[in-house]
């Protein structure tokens, strides 16, 4: 599992570098009177992903993660279980977008991930699971004027209330 972790970190780091390189085909800085250039968000998000890869590689090198302490050649039971839990939750997240909206799916994903996988307190879990989707709503809908998928009709009253609060 130790080899699998560093292999994935290396692959993701290369992908980050590729995304950073491709995003520089568009302006990555702030354009006066227009806002961020077309490559701004992809570049900085890819840089964040690269820094996360470097932090993971550092933890691997210092043997601070469960995977880096494993003697298994690629995947042990912990690795397969983690893959199933995380991969299954991402599939569930994507499936829920069309039903409970992007923001509802984010809230449910965070609730599951923080409480049941991360074993964080209910206070922290509920705070993040509620505040982050609200922050994303304000950012995308009010600041960027980008509408995210709003799910089925039963979610519309929530969005109407949010729009009334913002505007």
């Amino acid at each position: 599992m130790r080899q699998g972790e560093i292999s994935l970190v290396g692959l993701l780091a290369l992908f980050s570098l590729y995304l950073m390189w491709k995003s520089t085909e568009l302006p990555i800085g702030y354009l006066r009177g227009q806002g961020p250039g077309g490559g701004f968000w992809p570049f900085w998000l890819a840089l964040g992903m690269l820094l996360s890869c470097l932090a993971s590689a550092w933890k691997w090198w210092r043997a601070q993660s469960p995977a880096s302490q494993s003697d298994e050649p690629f995947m042990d039971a912990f690795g397969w279980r983690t893959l199933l839990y995380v991969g299954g939750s991402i599939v569930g997240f994507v499936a829920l977008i069309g039903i409970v909206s992007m923001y509802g799916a984010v809230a449910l994903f965070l609730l599951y991930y923080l409480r049941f996988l991360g074993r964080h307190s209910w206070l922290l879990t509920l705070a993040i699971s509620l505040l982050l989707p609200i922050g994303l709503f304000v950012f995308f809908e009010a600041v960027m004027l980008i509408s995210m998928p709003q799910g089925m009709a039963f979610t519309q009253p929530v969005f109407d209330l949010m729009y009334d609060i913002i505007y």
Side-chain angles (χ1 to χ4, degrees):
M1 191 142 150
R2 182 171 168 78
Q3 293 171 341
E5 181 181 35
I6 198 62
S7 299
L8 181 60
V9 165
L11 185 66
L12 288 174
L14 289 174
F15 185 59
S16 300
L17 291 171
Y18 171 75
L19 290 174
M20 291 171 67
W21 172 66
K22 285 301 280 183
S23 66
T24 59
E25 293 176 359
L26 298 170
I28 61 170
Y30 191 83
L31 305 176
R32 187 180 306 266
Q34 295 180 349
F40 179 86
W41 291 111
F43 179 84
W44 292 105
L45 289 173
L47 178 62
M49 190 166 83
L50 179 62
L51 293 175
S52 295
C53 289
L54 293 174
S56 294
W58 177 255
K59 286 182 76 169
W60 173 85
W61 185 68
R62 299 201 41 173
Q64 292 177 328
S65 66
S68 65
Q69 297 170 2
S70 173
D71 293 330
E72 295 290 326
F74 189 70
M75 289 280 271
D76 60 2
F78 173 79
W80 285 110
R81 191 170 48 252
T82 303
L83 179 67
L84 179 66
Y85 291 159
V86 174
S89 65
I90 292 171
V91 169
F93 165 74
V94 172
L96 285 171
I97 290 172
I99 300 169
V100 296
S101 80
M102 175 67 83
Y103 308 109
V106 167
L108 292 172
F109 175 79
L110 288 171
L111 182 78
Y112 166 76
Y113 204 90
L114 290 170
R115 181 61 188 160
F116 299 106
L117 293 184
R119 295 187 178 100
H120 294 283
S121 71
W122 275 110
L123 179 64
L124 177 70
T125 298
L126 291 174
I128 292 174
S129 297
L130 294 174
L131 294 176
L132 185 63
I134 291 170
L136 290 172
F137 178 85
V138 170
F139 177 74
F140 283 109
E141 306 283 337
V143 177
M144 300 294 287
L145 301 176
I146 298 172
S147 292
M148 291 291 162
Q150 295 188 357
M152 301 180 118
F154 68 87
T155 62
Q156 194 58 44
V158 175
F159 286 103
D160 291 342
L161 177 65
M162 294 293 288
Y163 285 124
D164 288 343
I165 292 170
I166 290 175
Y167 299 111

